[in-house]
Amino acid sequence: MDFLIKKIQTILFIGICIISFFIVNLTTAETSEIKNVNLQLILGEAGGTGGCQHPIYCNGTLLKTIQLVQVFNDSKTFVDMPMRSSAEFINEQFNQLLLNTSNNGGPNKEELAAFLSENFYPAGYEVEPVTPVDWVPNPSFLDEITDPNLNDFARSIHGKWLELTRIFNTSGLCDGCYSSIPVNNPFVIAGSRFREFYYWDSYWIIQGLLVSDMTTTAKGMLKNFADMISEFGFIPNGGRIYYLNRSQPPLFTQMVNNYIDATGDMEFLQEILPILDQEYQWWMTHRTSELTNEISGETVILNLYNASNHSPRPESYYEDYTDALGFSSDQEKDYFYSSIASGAESGWDFSSRWMSPSDNTNLTTIQTIDVIPVDLNSILYLNEKILSQFHRSLGNNSMAIFYQSASDNRVNAMQQVFFNENTFQWNDYNLKTNTNNQNWYTSNILPLFADIQSSIDIDNQEIDLLFKSLANVLMGYTGGVPTSLISAQSLQWDGVNVWPPLQYWVIESIMTPNTTFSNLLGKNLIDRWITTNFCGWNSTLESQGGMMFEKYNANFIGVPGGGGEYVVQNGFGWTNGVDLYLLKKYGKSITLNNC
């Protein structure tokens, strides 16, 4: 009977989502300008990257040639270059170049560079700086930070919104002649090579914008994401068409919740709630896996990252293509390409979490599409609780009950699949090996951020035992908590790299239980994290205006992290957002350590 009731609830929910979809499209039709991109050109059913069929930016001989010759050190550079004329004309010109150079084995790097200069604008040509309308020199939160060094630091970070806010300007470019996905409102970029907005980065960016009292900019970014859900059914990885085959950690509902908490804008909530429902249904339709408990026979549903992909990622074409050369069959290559894109969808690109347990530092063993991740399901659990509250606040009791039931079911599933009763940690589950990954990752405690402890039988004493058992990793590094204890140069989401979003989650996971020990531990980590960010900023203040790095090194104060597919980036959107959030919430008690 319970099973039948759940089925009926699901059918009713899908029906409501379909109705909501049409309502949302009618009310946002005039403001959604994403249709400027020629969707018939960039979207398709098969081949290419799955979600994008653009004959220049997503597949084709030109893309393959440019990337494999490595005209640019960074594969992303080419696919961010707008075209000076149509794709058809450029491909004709390129075919002529191939013909003219066939006797020499094809065009060399210099000839290709000349071709690109003639037929393309520089990377990021259509991305323009813009001054946010709601930026002010002295936001109110600065008055609460009494330490003069921290106040200077916070003021500098606040000023970086002026450096990182952008708009897409495609005027003068032909339709389909750029890889960007235009949106209506200004957005904040991460920085450096990341010229467009990114999905999960924007969660922490919006946190920082709300601290800076920049609610108009924050709301505009939320509207941009809502338009993308209305257009594509989901939020892509970032604001480029070559990201249309994958999403990123689904934090949009939590972004909206943070905005509503800061502004009380219930009218906006009423407008956007059907779109939040629509995104949730996308994740429950396209990113789920059923698991059966061998003892009880109970079947549970959890989510995973699972981008369908049959070719190299355009922005990392050379890297993916060369990594796939070791596979002999198309089936093996497709598995690799799907898992590598899914690893990017996870945000952790890349980590030993996604590799074969038997060879977890080798990127070619990646199997993301067979890993059920703790963090994704923690995010969705919190989303379900928030969506239940949203619907209840607007009087939609049936939907509130639906989401409450969904969150209850997820807690049950997470405890069965992830929870280790000996360590009180939650561990990813591998579908290939039917085992949990017992290594330390910051994601192991993310359910505490989602307040899972309020729904399960675990008391404060047991939570403190968990934190005490992790004391070496949580307190043993001067620059913050390491992502894992596994080191591999090619896997930047491992080892001693310290990532701002993960520090945010670790800090909040520690502080949420609100025990005496967890508060002391959290305070210690906040001090260390703000210190390493402050010292990195202060040491580069005179030479480079104060750098905020994408990631840091756990072993050294103020030193950037390393590894991965590109050099460490400066900017940096989510670092700024995390620091502003912590400075506002804990600023009166933060103590800077020595640099």
Side-chain angles (χ1 to χ4, degrees):
M1 183 62 68
D2 289 342
F3 176 78
L4 180 60
I5 291 172
K6 290 176 184 177
K7 283 292 185 183
I8 293 172
Q9 287 177 331
T10 301
I11 293 170
L12 289 173
F13 174 77
I14 294 172
I16 292 170
C17 284
I18 292 172
I19 294 170
S20 300
F21 173 77
F22 286 109
I23 292 173
V24 168
N25 274 295
L26 286 172
T27 57
T28 62
E30 292 183 353
T31 60
S32 179
E33 294 297 330
I34 297 175
K35 297 181 182 65
N36 286 342
V37 181
N38 187 339
L39 293 181
Q40 290 183 340
L41 181 64
I42 66 172
L43 294 176
E45 295 299 325
T49 61
C52 176
Q53 293 303 298
H54 196 288
I56 300 292
Y57 298 117
C58 298
N59 54 39
T61 303
L62 175 55
L63 173 66
K64 182 176 181 179
T65 303
I66 295 295
Q67 301 293 44
L68 294 188
V69 174
Q70 289 190 284
V71 177
F72 304 105
N73 292 330
D74 188 341
S75 293
K76 190 176 186 299
T77 302
F78 169 62
V79 290
D80 288 356
M81 298 172 66
M83 298 182 291
R84 295 179 183 269
S85 50
S86 70
E88 182 180 15
F89 175 80
I90 288 178
N91 269 328
E92 288 175 357
Q93 296 296 106
F94 183 69
N95 288 336
Q96 187 61 49
L97 175 64
L98 293 178
L99 182 63
N100 294 341
T101 58
S102 60
N103 291 334
N104 299 323
N108 58 34
K109 185 181 291 190
E110 290 73 22
E111 289 167 326
L112 290 172
F115 175 84
L116 292 178
S117 178
E118 182 178 347
N119 290 281
F120 290 81
Y121 294 103
Y125 174 85
E126 82 286 23
V127 186
E128 295 183 353
V130 63
T131 301
V133 297
D134 50 355
W135 189 89
V136 294
N138 298 295
S140 57
F141 85 96
L142 290 174
D143 296 335
E144 304 171 19
I145 303 175
T146 55
D147 183 312
N149 288 323
L150 287 177
N151 192 282
D152 289 344
F153 181 46
R155 187 179 299 276
S156 176
I157 298 174
H158 170 68
K160 290 186 181 295
W161 301 134
L162 294 174
E163 302 172 17
L164 296 175
T165 307
R166 299 286 189 273
I167 55 171
F168 286 128
N169 182 2
T170 58
S171 61
L173 296 173
C174 54
D175 287 343
C177 290
Y178 40 86
S179 64
S180 56
I181 303 175
V183 290
N184 293 332
N185 303 293
F187 51 87
V188 177
I189 64 171
S192 298
R193 76 191 285 266
F194 302 109
R195 307 172 182 90
E196 52 288 308
F197 55 86
Y198 283 82
Y199 184 179
W200 80 320
D201 294 59
S202 296
Y203 172 87
W204 292 279
I205 288 170
I206 287 174
Q207 286 272 55
L209 292 173
L210 294 174
V211 170
S212 291
D213 298 329
M214 296 174 64
T215 56
T216 300
T217 300
K219 185 176 184 178
M221 292 177 66
L222 295 176
K223 286 184 173 182
N224 290 341
F225 285 138
D227 288 343
M228 298 180 85
I229 294 172
S230 296
E231 186 71 25
F232 304 116
F234 73 108
I235 299 175
N237 186 144
R240 297 282 178 181
I241 60 174
Y242 51 74
Y243 290 139
L244 282 171
N245 72 322
R246 63 183 191 258
S247 187
Q248 267 194 334
L251 292 165
F252 185 48
T253 292
Q254 295 177 43
M255 296 181 210
V256 172
N257 188 51
N258 291 335
Y259 171 79
I260 298 298
D261 283 347
T263 65
D265 190 349
M266 297 303 290
E267 182 178 348
F268 180 66
L269 175 60
Q270 189 162 11
E271 170 191 337
I272 207 166
L273 186 51
I275 301 177
L276 300 181
D277 290 334
Q278 185 180 351
E279 190 202 22
Y280 176 79
Q281 190 57 34
W282 184 89
W283 280 91
M284 297 308 296
T285 301
H286 300 287
R287 298 292 190 269
T288 59
S289 179
E290 289 189 357
L291 298 92
T292 302
N293 188 313
E294 294 181 358
I295 298 175
S296 67
E298 180 182 0
T299 297
V300 298
I301 296 176
L302 288 168
N303 291 76
L304 75 172
Y305 298 106
N306 190 12
S308 177
N309 199 31
H310 306 291
S311 64
R313 293 167 295 150
E315 81 285 3
S316 299
Y317 195 102
Y318 177 84
E319 293 81 0
D320 290 358
Y321 183 91
T322 53
D323 281 336
L325 289 176
F327 299 111
S328 56
S329 70
D330 289 340
Q331 184 178 6
E332 289 176 316
K333 289 183 179 180
D334 285 350
Y335 184 86
F336 172 77
Y337 288 138
S338 291
S339 284
I340 207 83
S342 299
E345 183 172 71
S346 77
W348 289 51
D349 46 347
F350 295 99
S351 169
S352 58
R353 290 178 67 192
W354 316 130
M355 307 308 152
S356 168
S358 62
D359 193 5
N360 66 3
T361 61
N362 182 351
L363 185 59
T364 63
T365 72
I366 192 167
Q367 47 188 228
T368 318
I369 60 177
D370 280 312
V371 176
I372 310 291
V374 170
D375 45 359
L376 173 60
N377 286 281
S378 300
I379 290 168
L380 286 165
Y381 166 66
L382 184 53
N383 287 354
E384 288 160 347
K385 294 202 297 183
I386 292 170
L387 287 168
S388 181
Q389 294 167 2
F390 279 169
H391 279 285
R392 185 168 285 108
S393 69
L394 295 178
N396 305 328
N397 290 330
S398 61
M399 292 299 291
I401 292 170
F402 171 85
Y403 281 116
Q404 182 59 55
S405 176
S407 67
D408 291 343
N409 291 339
R410 192 179 299 275
V411 166
N412 172 53
M414 290 173 66
Q415 290 303 101
Q416 287 192 54
V417 176
F418 297 139
F419 190 59
N420 186 321
E421 294 181 353
N422 296 318
T423 64
F424 299 109
Q425 295 180 45
W426 293 262
N427 304 107
D428 297 336
Y429 186 80
N430 189 299
L431 295 170
K432 276 183 171 288
T433 62
N434 293 320
T435 59
N436 293 92
N437 187 337
Q438 300 297 334
N439 293 304
W440 158 255
Y441 300 97
T442 57
S443 54
N444 290 7
I445 61 172
L446 193 60
L448 296 175
F449 168 78
D451 196 28
I452 197 174
Q453 58 270 27
S454 64
S455 300
I456 62 174
D457 185 22
I458 184 171
D459 59 30
N460 286 348
Q461 183 178 3
E462 290 169 324
I463 291 174
D464 280 351
L465 284 175
L466 160 63
F467 290 140
K468 288 175 182 177
S469 71
L470 291 172
N472 287 340
V473 69
L474 295 177
M475 300 185 69
Y477 297 81
T478 59
V481 178
T483 304
S484 76
L485 300 179
I486 297 168
S487 295
Q489 183 64 23
S490 62
L491 304 179
Q492 63 174 342
W493 289 81
D494 268 300
V496 295
N497 277 339
V498 183
W499 293 88
L502 303 187
Q503 298 307 290
Y504 168 90
W505 272 329
V506 169
I507 289 168
E508 293 297 278
S509 295
I510 293 172
M511 299 297 281
T512 297
N514 196 31
T515 71
T516 300
F517 180 75
S518 70
N519 287 338
L520 289 172
L521 180 61
K523 169 68 166 57
N524 177 276
L525 176 54
I526 292 167
D527 288 349
R528 281 183 286 138
W529 175 248
I530 292 298
T531 294
T532 201
N533 282 234
F534 171 83
C535 293
W537 166 82
N538 192 54
S539 66
T540 58
L541 191 57
E542 290 188 9
S543 60
Q544 293 171 287
M547 298 182 74
M548 300 294 291
F549 298 117
E550 174 191 30
K551 57 183 181 285
Y552 292 78
N553 188 307
N555 286 323
F556 305 99
I557 295 176
V559 175
E565 296 181 311
Y566 52 84
V567 298
V568 67
Q569 303 292 297
N570 172 43
F572 196 85
W574 63 23
T575 314
N576 305 339
V578 170
D579 283 8
L580 289 179
Y581 170 83
L582 294 175
L583 286 165
K584 178 176 174 60
K585 187 172 183 179
Y586 305 106
K588 292 181 179 179
S589 62
I590 293 175
T591 301
L592 284 173
N593 301 322
N594 294 328
C595 293

